[in-house]
Amino acid sequence: MCREVHDLDEIGGLLEWDQSVMMPVNGARQRGRQQAALARLIHERWKSSELGDLLGRLQDGADDTDPWMKADLREVRRRRARALLVPDDLVAQRAMACSLAQGAWEKARKDNDFKAFLPYLEDVVRLTREWAACINGDRPYDALLDEYEPGALESELRPLFERVRERTLALLDRLKGASNPPSRAVMTRGFPMDSQRSFVRRLATDMGFDWSAGRLDTSAHPFTIGTLHDVRITTRYDPDNLATALFATMHEVGHALYEQGLDPERYSDPSGHACSLGIHESQSRFWENLIGRSRPFW
């Protein structure tokens, strides 16, 4: 059952990819209904009595299970416990709102018209707050964190971000006061689009991206969808700024390498997925920032 849910999740990801890369503009509402139906179906799987009965039977022999099985059971219980707290209708409404907001954001970004996007954003925020309150009414942001970074708490992250803020502001002050400030001129001149596309494809190849198990396309905002043998990444181009495509591609290939490197025997098991967004971002930002912005790379 859990592998079936994983397959359904992957279908949802492909619908997201298609919406951002290929879908006709007028298909937004149809796509929203599709995503809502799929989200409801996945949610019902997590809440099903069949899964509850299975977990109960497995619990009886928990002491005899191997480490992988114990990890699978831990992840399934966590996902199921969250799902049981949230109404099916709310899950579907939120999926619909997020899908509609994606198309509205792309148009608003192109037109530089935030007011046009605002109603969609308000719907997403409202429904997300309702969803979080169902899971943890006292600490709703902890409920949101746990979806992407299991076990993380707002109280632990606030001091971390305060330290990051202090060091970042100090660095900015140094740069602003520098007698010979860094120049970005090498990146901000005319770069033919065809040459940029060829360059970032070569870069992805050199990084180890497996083209037989993935593809690179263009979208309004770069992202990575998929896993193992079907990983879709996107980038975007600016004819007057090479950094846009360069660093976006390195970032997304970092995500893709993580997904392409998962264990093919376990990638669709609950414990075989990418383990958290923090770990995922550590891979993408390792390539984008620690390597991509290093002197040896240049």
Side-chain angles (χ1 to χ4, degrees):
M1 177 179 288
C2 292
R3 289 184 175 180
E4 181 185 64
V5 170
H6 174 83
D7 291 339
L8 293 173
D9 279 330
E10 286 196 313
I11 291 170
L14 290 174
L15 289 176
E16 291 180 29
W17 173 86
D18 176 74
Q19 180 174 0
S20 295
V21 175
M22 301 182 69
M23 190 186 78
V25 174
N26 287 347
R29 188 157 293 276
Q30 286 178 235
R31 182 52 45 86
R33 291 199 300 269
Q34 294 161 7
Q35 289 286 34
L38 187 60
R40 183 189 290 272
L41 185 62
I42 293 170
H43 192 65
E44 289 172 348
R45 290 287 199 278
W46 283 118
K47 295 173 66 174
S48 70
S49 57
E50 180 184 355
L51 180 58
D53 293 342
L54 179 60
L55 285 173
R57 294 199 301 272
L58 289 172
Q59 180 62 35
D60 294 337
D63 292 339
D64 299 325
T65 56
D66 63 31
W68 281 104
M69 177 62 76
K70 290 181 179 179
D72 284 337
L73 289 173
R74 180 196 68 223
E75 291 305 304
V76 172
R77 291 192 187 100
R78 186 180 71 85
R79 292 288 299 272
R80 177 174 165 79
R82 291 169 60 87
L84 287 170
L85 297 171
V86 184
D88 297 353
D89 286 346
L90 178 56
V91 169
Q93 290 169 16
R94 184 168 175 260
M96 177 77 166
C98 289
S99 183
L100 291 176
Q102 174 65 29
W105 171 79
E106 290 180 8
K107 185 177 188 307
R109 181 183 183 276
K110 182 179 180 181
D111 298 339
N112 195 24
D113 185 2
F114 178 73
K115 288 184 178 180
F117 174 59
L118 184 58
Y120 297 89
L121 177 61
E122 289 174 339
D123 277 347
V124 171
V125 171
R126 174 179 57 82
L127 292 167
T128 299
R129 283 175 170 166
E130 291 181 23
W131 178 72
C134 290
I135 299 169
N136 190 338
D138 294 331
R139 296 188 301 275
Y141 198 73
D142 285 349
L144 299 178
L145 279 173
D146 194 66
E147 182 76 5
Y148 300 99
E149 195 64 26
L153 300 173
E154 181 184 4
S155 59
E156 296 174 340
L157 294 182
R158 282 191 179 277
L160 170 64
F161 281 114
E162 284 298 320
R163 293 196 298 273
V164 170
R165 180 177 184 275
E166 291 173 5
R167 295 182 64 176
T168 301
L169 290 176
L171 176 60
L172 286 173
D173 288 341
R174 283 177 51 200
L175 292 173
K176 290 176 182 178
S179 58
N180 185 25
S183 171
R184 302 179 73 251
V186 68
M187 294 291 223
T188 53
R189 52 185 176 180
F191 292 94
M193 299 294 283
D194 288 343
S195 297
Q196 286 196 52
R197 291 188 181 92
S198 297
F199 177 61
V200 298
R201 285 185 66 88
R202 173 179 170 178
L203 180 66
T205 301
D206 289 345
M207 289 173 63
F209 185 69
D210 182 357
W211 293 101
S212 68
R215 55 180 294 134
L216 171 65
D217 293 280
T218 305
S219 64
H221 184 78
F223 66 90
T224 299
I225 285 288
T227 189
L228 199 63
H229 300 314
D230 185 3
V231 182
R232 318 283 179 96
I233 62 175
T234 70
T235 191
R236 66 184 180 200
Y237 301 92
D238 183 337
D240 300 313
N241 188 349
L242 179 61
T244 299
L246 171 65
F247 292 121
T249 303
M250 293 191 78
H251 182 100
E252 300 307 330
V253 172
H255 281 304
L257 293 178
Y258 183 21
E259 292 290 346
Q260 289 183 340
L262 293 177
D263 185 342
E265 299 298 321
R266 299 190 181 276
Y267 82 100
S268 60
D269 292 340
S271 63
H273 303 171
C275 58
S276 77
L277 183 62
I279 294 299
H280 233 305
E281 287 298 322
S282 76
Q283 304 308 292
S284 60
R285 293 186 179 275
F286 175 82
W287 281 99
E288 177 194 359
N289 294 330
L290 297 185
I291 293 179
R293 287 179 164 86
S294 68
R295 187 182 297 272
F297 175 82
W298 284 95

